[in-house]
Amino acid sequence: MTDPPAIEFAHVQYRTTGNRILLNDLSLSVQRGEILMLLGASGSGKTTTLKLINGLLQASEGQITIDGKPLQDWDLIRLRRHIGYAIQEVGLFPHYTVRDNAALVPRLENWPPQKLKARVDEVLHMVGLPPQEFAARYPNELSGGQRQRVGLARALAADPPILLMDEPFGALDPITRVALQREFKQLQQRLNKTVVFVTHDVGEALLLGDRIALMESGRLSGVFAPRDFLESSDPAVKPYVEAFRAMQQVFD
Amino acid sequence: MFNFIFSHKREVLALTGEHLWLVGVSMLLAIAIGVPLGILLTRRPRYRGVVLGGSNIVQTIPSLALFGLLLPLPWLGARADRLAILALMLYALLPIIQNTFVGITGVDPPVREAAAAMGMTSRQILWHVELPLASGVIVAGIRVATVICVGLATIAAAIGAGGLGEFIFRGLSMVDNRVILAGAVPAAIMALAADQLLGLAQRLLTRKRH
Ligand SMILES: Nc1ncnc2c1ncn2[C@@H]1O[C@H](COP(=O)(O)OP(=O)(O)OP(=O)(O)O)[C@@H](O)[C@H]1O
Ligand SMILES: [Mg+2]
């Protein structure tokens, strides 16, 4: 038997307590080691999809399976420590230093101090925040982009096999963003994690994704290989491709 | 006035001690009950009306009336200081419960969500995120309650519970301002000192983040 997909959605619906349907009939699977890009307009349900994966929200209908095991059979605490999550609003602890924020999950998992320190130094370097300069600072002593990178470090620190990343490079200047995208791509070739990566940026989706899932008002419009995405005649895809091409023409 | 205080040094000290004891014990009880109740309200919002409403009503009862109302209670009514402590504690509860509730529910939602998303248990979230972040607001509630308590405790003398109110009531009946002030001045100093001290604690708890 082949490996089960790392993440599988079967006909998932999510309704709010007020009975608003935010996601409808979502079926999707993410293979182990794959980077799936979630692309879609603001309010299309990307963040909601991520929150369903780590159990912050519960599906109203349908079935979500993680590593072959139905979500409801997982111990939620274990599941969440198995999944790194870089949150859109970041949500750093304001009373923790950068080091303590980044160390959160390994500390919950009782890593020995030596290993913990080495790992936190490593991830802080990885996200471009040298520990000698940044480790002792508090979040209110950082810029928005620096905070976002601490959020990223926190998601990576415990080396989880699955990563959820909600516009992790959104608040970064283009130079830092490209550097981190490159770093991420190299890292991925080494570590082979399963990643669901939310972005608004078609260029980023094409650059980083193994596949691109396009969402539109709570539904999945389709899943494409990056190459097919640019050629697709799907009416949902076209506006994105046109916008992307228009952008490129400006530079040509 | 100072002559009077100096000539009655021993009595002033003894009554100040009693006053501190009344306030101290009732505040400790109010914290021990109020903070957990405030936490409970954040977990079970449906009790919110009952608890906050109830402690609000207590606040509206005039203090002298509350002392009187509690008098018939069995074990407590037997001793004036127990009664005074119970009444003072009831007055101190509202600001403490309320500030605990407001402090915890005021934690930035993305911070709480991040804590859950990283796999913290709800107990870990309470101890490592919610309480530390709410601590400044909780201490502010304790500060308000303490200052109220120091003032109200002077009225405890009316039911014979002692404290600096003794001087005030004695001075009133003697129509002697020096005696009134011998109770009022130390009480005011105590209130100011408590205010300053708890204000300092509050600043220390919130210094690293604004
Ligand atoms: N608790 C809620 N109650 C009601 N509606 C909600 C709630 N949370 C989100 N929504 C709505 O659900 C829809 C999807 O939200 P979601 O956060 O998943 O969008 P998104 O694709 O991540 O958007 P963005 O790119 O702006 O982050 C939005 O229309 C939003 O207004
Ligand atoms: Mg979002």
Side-chain angles (χ1 to χ4, degrees):
Chain A
M1 209 182 100
T2 53
D3 267 1
I7 303 169
E8 188 161 34
F9 277 54
H11 306 290
V12 170
Q13 185 190 75
Y14 176 75
R15 287 190 304 267
T16 62
T17 42
N19 265 332
R20 261 190 68 195
I21 296 177
L22 300 189
L23 285 182
N24 208 1
D25 199 24
L26 188 67
S27 295
L28 182 67
S29 67
V30 188
Q31 298 309 312
R32 219 163 267 185
E34 181 184 29
I35 302 185
L36 181 80
M37 307 300 284
L38 276 186
L39 186 67
S42 185
S44 57
K46 305 181 295 295
T47 299
T48 308
T49 305
L50 294 191
K51 287 181 182 172
L52 284 165
I53 295 171
N54 82 343
L56 281 177
L57 298 175
Q58 273 85 44
S60 315
E61 270 164 47
Q63 179 64 53
I64 299 173
T65 313
I66 309 290
D67 285 342
K69 186 155 124 184
L71 195 76
Q72 61 274 17
D73 294 349
W74 277 88
D75 168 15
L76 273 187
I77 300 297
R78 281 219 26 72
L79 176 76
R80 288 169 183 167
R81 293 185 192 170
H82 176 86
I83 299 178
Y85 187 4
I87 296 165
Q88 191 170 19
E89 294 95 349
V90 188
L92 297 181
F93 295 178
H95 58 309
Y96 276 25
T97 60
V98 166
R99 172 177 299 285
D100 290 338
N101 267 291
L104 182 66
V105 185
R107 198 166 273 156
L108 291 172
E109 293 282 281
N110 295 316
W111 286 26
Q114 291 275 310
K115 186 179 167 198
L116 179 83
K117 177 164 189 315
R119 177 60 183 165
V120 171
D121 285 345
E122 187 187 0
V123 285
L124 287 178
H125 275 299
M126 218 184 270
V127 299
L129 299 172
Q132 26 332 340
E133 193 182 343
F134 290 98
R137 294 207 204 168
Y138 284 85
N140 70 344
E141 299 165 330
L142 300 176
S143 75
Q146 290 165 344
R147 279 200 278 269
Q148 193 172 40
R149 284 181 276 161
V150 179
L152 195 56
R154 177 175 66 182
L156 296 169
D159 206 15
I162 298 177
L163 281 173
L164 308 178
M165 304 174 81
D166 203 340
E167 294 189 51
F169 307 143
L172 302 181
D173 65 90
I175 295 169
T176 314
R177 181 183 312 144
V178 168
L180 280 187
Q181 285 170 340
R182 197 165 292 153
E183 172 100 26
F184 178 77
K185 189 121 187 139
Q186 282 170 2
L187 205 68
Q188 178 57 13
Q189 274 153 10
R190 264 196 297 128
L191 300 179
N192 222 33
K193 296 189 183 297
T194 306
V195 184
V196 182
F197 190 123
V198 170
T199 183
H200 282 139
D201 180 347
V202 179
E204 186 169 71
L206 293 168
L207 177 71
L208 298 180
D210 294 318
R211 288 187 305 155
I212 300 171
L214 186 62
M215 295 191 64
E216 203 176 43
S217 45
R219 290 175 173 276
L220 192 64
S221 311
V223 184
F224 309 86
R227 200 180 304 267
D228 302 340
F229 190 82
L230 286 176
E231 327 279 63
S232 171
S233 58
D234 190 314
V237 175
K238 270 211 158 131
Y240 285 92
V241 177
E242 276 162 18
F244 180 64
R245 297 249 191 256
M247 194 68 160
Q248 282 189 318
Q249 271 160 20
V250 173
F251 293 111
D252 284 347
Chain B
M1 169 197 114
F2 288 109
N3 283 337
F4 179 87
I5 292 182
F6 278 119
S7 57
H8 293 72
K9 218 180 346 193
R10 194 161 286 199
E11 199 181 357
V12 172
L13 279 179
L15 291 180
T16 305
E18 276 179 28
H19 205 92
L20 267 176
W21 189 73
L22 287 176
V23 172
V25 175
S26 35
M27 284 308 302
L28 285 180
L29 286 173
I31 294 168
I33 296 171
V35 173
L37 263 180
I39 294 169
L40 181 77
L41 292 193
T42 64
R43 303 297 192 259
R44 303 260 183 286
R46 66 204 151 101
Y47 298 138
R48 200 181 148 198
V50 183
V51 175
L52 288 182
S55 45
N56 225 330
I57 288 171
V58 173
Q59 295 275 313
T60 66
I61 304 175
S63 41
L64 212 47
L66 183 61
F67 286 123
L69 282 174
L70 296 174
L71 218 46
L73 289 182
W75 178 78
L76 287 156
R79 279 194 37 198
D81 56 345
R82 287 181 195 154
L83 208 68
I85 285 168
L86 176 66
L88 292 175
M89 184 207 80
L90 287 176
Y91 280 116
L93 274 178
L94 179 69
I96 295 177
I97 296 174
Q98 205 156 36
N99 279 40
T100 304
F101 180 79
V102 169
I104 289 178
T105 49
V107 171
D108 201 17
V111 171
R112 193 193 309 275
E113 186 159 75
M118 299 305 134
M120 292 179 94
T121 62
S122 61
R123 178 176 297 230
Q124 286 166 334
I125 295 175
L126 177 68
W127 284 102
H128 299 296
V129 181
E130 293 178 313
L131 283 178
L133 289 177
S135 60
V137 181
I138 296 175
V139 170
I142 294 173
R143 185 180 174 189
V144 170
T146 309
V147 173
I148 294 175
C149 242
V150 172
L152 283 178
T154 56
I155 297 173
I159 55 164
L164 290 163
E166 294 266 315
F167 276 136
I168 297 177
F169 283 104
R170 200 187 306 163
L172 282 171
S173 64
M174 292 160 59
V175 202
D176 185 340
N177 279 338
R178 291 176 317 163
V179 184
I180 296 181
L181 287 175
V185 170
I189 292 172
M190 198 185 289
L192 282 173
D195 191 51
Q196 288 297 310
L197 214 66
L198 289 165
L200 181 71
Q202 206 180 321
R203 278 194 297 283
L204 286 178
L205 285 169
T206 46
R207 91 207 119 150
K208 276 291 180 193
R209 54 214 149 73
H210 300 284

